[in-house]
């Protein structure tokens, strides 16, 4: 299986925000995923940060059901 992320006028080389990848956690089917497009270090950091932000759930005051399936995005070597 595979998925495509459309960036509009931007492209993978100029990904300068984490927000385009923030919705991936909710939209991808369960399983392990990886980015196959070669990204520069900064763009890759934005991509992985966005995925992490989208996966985060603040549940201190309101518990969220644990019905969420596991979705992971593989890390990229050399990226913080």
């Amino acid at each position: 299986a595979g998925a495509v992320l459309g960036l509009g006028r931007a492209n993978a080389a100029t990904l300068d925000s984490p927000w385009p990848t923030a919705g991936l956690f909710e939209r991808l089917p369960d399983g392990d995923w990886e980015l196959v497009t070669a990204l520069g270090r900064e763009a890759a950091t934005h991509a992985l940060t966005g995925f992490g932000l989208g996966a985060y759930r603040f549940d201190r005051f309101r518990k969220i059901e644990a019905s969420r399936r596991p979705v992971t995005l593989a890390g990229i070597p050399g990226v913080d």
Side-chain angles (χ1 to χ4, degrees):
V4 175
L5 171 65
L7 297 174
R9 293 177 187 243
N11 62 52
T14 62
L15 185 62
D16 60 357
S17 168
W19 300 118
T21 56
L24 290 178
F25 182 79
E26 289 292 329
R27 292 177 177 88
L28 289 174
D30 61 330
D32 300 323
W33 293 84
E34 65 180 318
L35 297 171
V36 295
T37 300
L39 298 174
R41 184 176 184 187
E42 186 174 341
T45 299
H46 287 305
L48 294 176
T49 300
F51 183 83
L53 289 170
Y56 178 77
R57 297 293 174 263
F58 181 78
D59 64 357
R60 181 174 181 181
F61 301 107
R62 183 179 70 144
K63 297 299 178 194
I64 300 172
E65 288 187 36
S67 63
R68 180 69 187 136
R69 63 202 189 282
V71 176
T72 60
L73 184 62
I76 300 172
V79 174
D80 298 334

